[in-house]
Amino acid sequence: MQKTDTPRVLVLGATGRTGAAVAKILEETPGQVVPVRTSRSQATVDQWIKEGKDAVRIDLDDPDTFPAALEGIDRLFVMTGYTSAMNHQTKSLVDAAEDAGVSFLAHLGVFSDGRSTDPHFAWHELVERYIAGSKIAWANVHPHVFMENLLGINRLRDGQFVWPMGDKQVGWIANDDIAAVVAKVLAEGPETHAGQVYKLSADLLNGTEVAEVLTTAVGREIPALVMTPDDLQRMIDAGLDTAPPNMDAAYAASTLIWARQTFEGRMDYSAVTTSTVEDLLGREPIRFASWAAAHRQDLLDQLS
């Protein structure tokens, strides 16, 4: 694959919600960049190619797949899964990207302060320090809690919204806003965005406030089950709560540490909203109430 005048952007996670949205947005702005979708499944790659899309196979657990996937690539979107393997995966990928002549990357991190002791926050800080030490220009995108978590790892349980952090608020951001910011950063490139850190947080809500918004959106009462991290630990010990299948044990344990640190007030620095969406995209961010209304049927399906 030869480099052209139009930058080619390798999009990790293109079969997932965020990567797919990034690729779609880049595709809808022809002439700026060419998105190249990735999957570890050759069948998925072949299907994309049949549809006329640029696509390559890459397996983050197999660095031998990196050189071919990075051939002819100018820019890179780096995101990893809910696993401690993100550390060596990102390190190896950045090395390969540097060797391949990639000039710019955008990394999807977490809403941290650079001094995190919660493991999965610290892992993101580690890989970002490594990226900063490479020859590749970079930008970091730091979203707060994904609203879409309510469709996955934070689904309603027995018709309730479980909140293990007492009355503490956290910031919420919609995936569509995350993808739009990432796509803009990748399309405009290092001349505009090199060295920037973009924090994303649209609404501050605690468990009770989230439940109130959901109740209004679906037209049925959704109570909040507010508890402490110790309560959640007891549920886990009793086998009443398990980690999602795409999250390894170390990452799952880290999320409980995040909940505990939030409950204890050690994450109060992150209880803020940001103007990033307005500043970069020139519009208001998606508010939680609007997001919930748009996903009303998805939420109702959890109650059936």
Side-chain angles (χ1 to χ4, degrees):
M1 204 181 292
Q2 298 299 314
K3 290 193 177 185
T4 65
D5 292 338
T6 304
R8 298 175 64 82
V9 180
L10 193 71
V11 179
L12 297 189
T15 57
R17 186 177 279 120
T18 305
V22 169
K24 186 173 186 292
I25 295 169
L26 292 176
E27 206 167 48
E28 291 172 347
T29 53
Q32 283 191 287
V33 296
V34 176
V36 181
R37 290 169 170 82
T38 64
S39 173
R40 70 172 61 197
S41 165
Q42 188 61 52
T44 300
V45 171
D46 292 342
Q47 180 60 39
W48 280 330
I49 293 172
K50 282 179 61 177
E51 295 169 359
K53 299 177 172 67
D54 287 80
V56 294
R57 180 179 180 273
I58 193 169
D59 182 346
L60 292 181
D61 291 322
D62 182 3
D64 289 343
T65 65
F66 296 174
L70 290 162
E71 185 179 349
I73 294 298
D74 303 279
R75 300 173 188 174
L76 172 64
F77 174 45
V78 179
M79 64 174 297
T80 49
Y82 296 128
T83 165
S84 56
M86 61 169 284
N87 294 292
H88 66 261
Q89 289 173 343
T90 308
K91 187 269 183 191
S92 301
L93 182 64
V94 169
D95 291 344
E98 190 176 69
D99 292 343
V102 172
S103 60
F104 179 61
L105 68 79
H107 175 256
L108 189 67
V110 290
F111 208 97
S112 66
D113 65 351
R115 289 291 184 271
S116 297
T117 57
D118 164 47
H120 78 286
F121 272 48
W123 299 335
H124 278 286
E125 291 173 357
L126 278 168
V127 299
E128 287 179 357
R129 294 283 185 96
Y130 190 79
I131 290 167
S134 75
K135 297 175 183 176
I136 304 172
W138 54 268
N140 295 322
V141 178
H142 288 180
H144 221 318
V145 179
F146 286 47
M147 296 178 189
E148 279 71 14
N149 282 0
L150 276 84
L151 307 180
I153 60 176
N154 295 127
R155 291 173 63 86
L156 302 177
R157 303 180 197 177
D158 299 322
Q160 302 177 99
F161 179 63
V162 178
W163 188 254
M165 293 173 284
D167 63 356
K168 288 293 184 177
Q169 294 177 315
V170 301
W172 297 85
I173 187 73
N175 182 73
D176 285 349
D177 283 343
I178 299 168
V181 166
V182 169
K184 186 175 181 67
V185 168
L186 289 167
E188 294 180 347
E191 292 78 15
T192 303
H193 300 287
Q196 297 299 310
V197 177
Y198 296 114
K199 291 180 175 287
L200 296 170
S201 179
D203 283 314
L204 279 180
L205 299 167
N206 62 24
T208 300
E209 292 162 336
V210 167
E212 290 171 352
V213 173
L214 298 180
T215 295
T216 299
V218 304
R220 290 174 54 180
E221 184 179 4
I222 297 178
L225 179 57
V226 178
M227 60 177 69
T228 70
D230 286 340
D231 295 328
L232 179 58
Q233 182 66 69
R234 283 189 284 270
M235 288 178 62
I236 293 170
D237 293 343
L240 301 176
D241 186 90
T242 58
N246 62 334
M247 183 182 290
D248 74 7
Y251 202 103
S254 178
T255 62
L256 183 58
I257 293 171
W258 173 77
R260 188 175 301 282
Q261 292 190 357
T262 299
F263 178 74
E264 293 172 351
R266 295 166 62 185
M267 306 291 279
D268 280 357
Y269 72 84
S270 66
V272 296
T273 58
T274 66
S275 63
T276 303
V277 172
E278 294 98 324
D279 296 342
L280 287 188
L281 305 180
R283 62 165 174 79
E284 286 288 310
I286 298 167
R287 301 298 181 186
F288 196 91
S290 297
W291 179 91
H295 290 84
R296 179 176 183 272
Q297 190 57 54
D298 295 322
L299 295 165
L300 281 171
D301 289 344
Q302 298 180 35
L303 300 174
S304 58

